[in-house]
């Protein structure tokens, strides 16, 4: 192009400036001319000039001959002028009001420029370091990465990497989105991006783990296979790093495929050691309920069941508990109760059950199963340990489990508790924790008092004192809790059992003596005599 040749040879600075401004006004139609001009500028050599000096003519001629003989060594492109012109093009385009058009024009300019000098990257770095222009700067860097190769691509990538693991949220977020959502799609870039994100996280000092981990986690959402690498990084990082990665993993839940081979392998315990268990549990438990499989034969359910069967870790069953059969859930519950004092696994399992429309156990069923999980106490009660169905549940774990349920007052309401207690009181034998369940229920549901009185009357009819010392003591304690409402029931006790009650409970002793003195209670004479003698 003749015009490009003329501009490339023109020493007129004003002409050069006006030409650049004119081209930038309609760069789409002038981009080819700009490219030819820049290529001419990059190829014009600087020849050593022979300056006229006051020396002998023969010496000057000799110098001229030497210079001409060394043209190949002494010529080089005029990069200073080329760099100046390219920078002017860049500055002019950046000043345009239409940012979208400007970015497109700059992408064309930099992809066709023969060389990108350091000043170009310095200009783009300044743009990327400003939260107001970082998106624009990143867009231009992306065009360099996609449109060029070699050191230019590497330089642009390194600039984006630095932002993606840097401390500024305002700069880090756009950089990570660009890498994960756009650059990572290119196969030629994937390996390098993964390597950088891995090394940046593995080599992170403790005070930098927080902002260095975002990039790798974002990549995991695009490529679930990286979850295995994340688990292995978790195994070797500090306690602070472990906690942070667990927290981060929860945000991955919606982007993890339920059938991801990497996730399934981690759940089964095949790709990482038990050290990574908290991380894997976080991945599994954070999957939203609506995204969990509803079929017991699904790969995710099978993987969690395999982990439970081989390692005995019931926590892996919590997210999938609502798809188990009724018998499987009943067998699992004691295992979860055993975790009630040390983790949230039991509570999470209950929440999952009561939140599901097709759960194998309803709220009343859960209360019943808690009681059934505790077998005959007898001698075991003295050890505060009960073993049932292969699961070991101690008294503290039962009580913690029951308390967890009762605290969910909206779910375990008066009707639910009434249904559960009705079923339990009719069982033969009555479960040992039954009276504790009644007493605790009264603390959370005050409206149960009338029903609790009815329970005590039924227990008198069943001669509960003959059944179990534990249940009898619970009967006495419950009567103390209900107070004067129990008088009509207590006076129906056989004389021997009434005497026992009066000896064991000073509170009930005083209450019944006051009742004898009150005509409204109409206590029979032989009962009054027993009470007064106590």
């Amino acid at each position: 192009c003749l015009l490009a040749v003329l501009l490339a040879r023109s020493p007129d600075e004003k002409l050069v400036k006006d030409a650049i401004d004119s081209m930038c006004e309609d760069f789409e139609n002038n981009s080819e001319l700009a490219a030819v001009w820049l290529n001419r500028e990059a190829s014009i050599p600087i020849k050593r000039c022979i300056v006229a000096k006051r020396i002998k003519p023969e010496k000057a001629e000799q110098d001229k001959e030497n210079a001409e003989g060394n043209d190949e060594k002494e010529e080089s492109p005029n990069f200073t002028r080329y760099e100046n012109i390219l920078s002017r093009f860049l500055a002019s385009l950046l000043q345009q009001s239409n940012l979208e058009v400007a970015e497109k024009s700059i992408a064309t300019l930099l992809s066709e420029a023969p060389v990108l000098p350091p000043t170009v990257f310095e200009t783009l770095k300044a743009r990327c370091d400003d939260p107001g222009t970082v998106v624009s700067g990143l867009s231009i860097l992306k065009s360099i990465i996609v449109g060029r190769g070699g050191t230019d691509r590497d330089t642009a990538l390194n600039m984006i990497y630095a932002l993606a693991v840097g401390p500024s949220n305002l700069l880090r977020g756009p950089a990570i989105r660009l890498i994960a959502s756009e650059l990572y799609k290119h196969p030629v870039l994937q390996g390098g991006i993964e390597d950088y994100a891995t090394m940046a996280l593995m080599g992170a000092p403790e005070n930098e783990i927080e902002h260095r981990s975002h990039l790798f986690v974002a990549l995991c959402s695009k490529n679930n296979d990286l979850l295995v690498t994340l688990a292995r990084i978790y195994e070797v990082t500090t306690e602070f790093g472990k906690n942070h990665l667990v927290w981060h993993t929860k945000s991955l839940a919606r982007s993890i495929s339920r059938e991801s081979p990497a996730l399934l392998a981690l759940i089964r315990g095949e790709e990482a050691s038990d050290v990574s268990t908290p991380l894997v549990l976080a991945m599994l438990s954070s999957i939203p309920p609506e995204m969990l499989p509803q079929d017991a034969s699904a790969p995710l359910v099978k993987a969690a069941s395999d982990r439970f069967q081989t390692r005995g870790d019931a926590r892996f069953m919590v997210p999938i508990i609502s798809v188990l059969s009724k018998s499987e859930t009943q067998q699992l519950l004691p295992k979860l109760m055993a975790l009630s004092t040390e983790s949230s696994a039991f509570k999470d399992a209950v929440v999952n059950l009561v939140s599901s429309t097709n759960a194998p156990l309803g709220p009343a069923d859960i209360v019943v199963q808690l009681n059934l999980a505790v077998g005959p106490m007898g001698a075991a009660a003295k050890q505060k340990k009960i073993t049932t169905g292969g699961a070991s549940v101690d008294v503290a774990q039962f009580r913690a489990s029951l308390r967890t349920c009762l605290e969910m007052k909206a779910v375990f309401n008066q009707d639910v508790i009434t249904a559960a207690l009705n079923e339990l009181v009719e069982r033969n034998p009555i479960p040992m924790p039954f009276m504790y369940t009644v007493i605790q229920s009264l603390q959370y549901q005050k409206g149960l008092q009338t029903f609790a009185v009815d329970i005590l009357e039924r227990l008198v009819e069943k001669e509960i004192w003959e059944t179990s010392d534990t249940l009898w003591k619970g009967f006495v304690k419950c009567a103390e809790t209900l107070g004067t409402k129990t008088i009509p029931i207590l006076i129906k006790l056989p004389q021997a059992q009434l005497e026992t009650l009066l000896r064991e409970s000073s509170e009930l002793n005083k209450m019944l003596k006051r009742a004898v003195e009150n005509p409204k209670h109409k206590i029979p004479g032989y009962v009054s005599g027993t009470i007064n003698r106590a």
Side-chain angles (χ1 to χ4, degrees), residues 78-110:
N78 187 352
F79 281 119
T80 301
R81 177 181 164 92
Y82 165 81
E83 187 173 352
N84 248 347
I85 292 173
L86 180 59
S87 295
R88 286 183 180 182
F89 267 112
L90 185 58
S92 182
L93 290 172
L94 286 173
Q95 290 174 1
Q96 291 186 354
S97 57
N98 190 325
L99 192 59
E100 184 178 351
V101 172
E103 289 174 4
K104 183 178 178 181
S105 299
I106 292 170
T108 302
L109 172 72
L110 298 184

Side-chain angles (χ1 to χ4, degrees), residues 59-291:
K59 177 64 175 171
E61 186 63 31
Q62 183 181 351
D63 288 345
K64 183 177 180 180
E65 291 173 359
N66 290 339
E68 289 172 352
N70 292 318
D71 274 351
E72 186 176 345
K73 294 181 181 179
E74 296 179 0
E75 293 179 359
S76 62
N78 187 352
F79 281 119
T80 301
R81 177 181 164 92
Y82 165 81
E83 187 173 352
N84 248 347
I85 292 173
L86 180 59
S87 295
R88 286 183 180 182
F89 267 112
L90 185 58
S92 182
L93 290 172
L94 286 173
Q95 290 174 1
Q96 291 186 354
S97 57
N98 190 325
L99 192 59
E100 184 178 351
V101 172
E103 289 174 4
K104 183 178 178 181
S105 299
I106 292 170
T108 302
L109 172 72
L110 298 184
S111 65
E112 295 181 354
V115 182
L116 296 186
T119 50
V120 169
F121 290 105
E122 290 169 6
T123 299
L124 295 179
K125 183 179 185 308
R127 198 161 184 82
C128 289
D129 287 344
D130 183 345
T133 56
V134 62
V135 174
S136 170
L138 288 171
S139 176
I140 297 169
L141 287 175
K142 174 196 167 187
S143 69
I144 294 174
I145 293 167
V146 174
R148 305 181 72 92
T151 57
D152 291 339
R153 172 181 288 172
D154 292 342
T155 301
L157 273 171
N158 288 332
M159 289 173 64
I160 299 176
Y161 287 156
L163 294 172
V165 298
S168 170
N169 291 332
L170 296 176
L171 304 181
R172 186 175 61 245
I176 290 175
R177 285 191 290 274
L178 173 63
I179 293 173
S181 299
E182 299 186 48
L183 298 179
Y184 194 55
K185 292 178 181 177
H186 297 273
V188 70
L189 301 177
Q190 286 178 358
I193 290 173
E194 289 174 5
D195 289 345
Y196 179 85
T198 301
M199 296 307 297
L201 182 53
M202 288 190 71
E206 192 166 275
N207 63 340
E208 293 184 16
I209 287 176
E210 192 277 331
H211 52 259
R212 287 202 188 187
S213 58
H214 289 272
L215 174 59
F216 193 90
V217 172
L219 295 182
C220 288
S221 70
K222 303 299 180 180
N223 179 7
N224 290 172
D225 289 346
L226 291 176
L227 294 174
V228 173
T229 304
L230 183 63
R232 291 171 181 170
I233 292 173
Y234 175 91
E235 291 176 358
V236 299
T237 193
T238 63
E239 195 62 32
F240 175 84
K242 285 180 170 62
N243 292 335
H244 187 76
L245 291 180
V246 165
W247 177 83
H248 244 318
T249 298
K250 294 178 180 179
S251 66
L252 272 173
R254 290 189 176 275
S255 57
I256 298 177
S257 169
R258 295 171 298 177
E259 297 184 2
S260 161
L263 176 62
L264 298 178
L266 287 173
I267 291 172
R268 288 191 296 266
E270 296 172 354
E271 291 290 349
S273 71
D274 287 345
V275 174
S276 65
T277 294
L279 184 78
V280 180
L281 280 170
M283 292 180 194
L284 179 60
S285 61
S286 297
I287 299 176
E290 65 272 15
M291 294 179 65

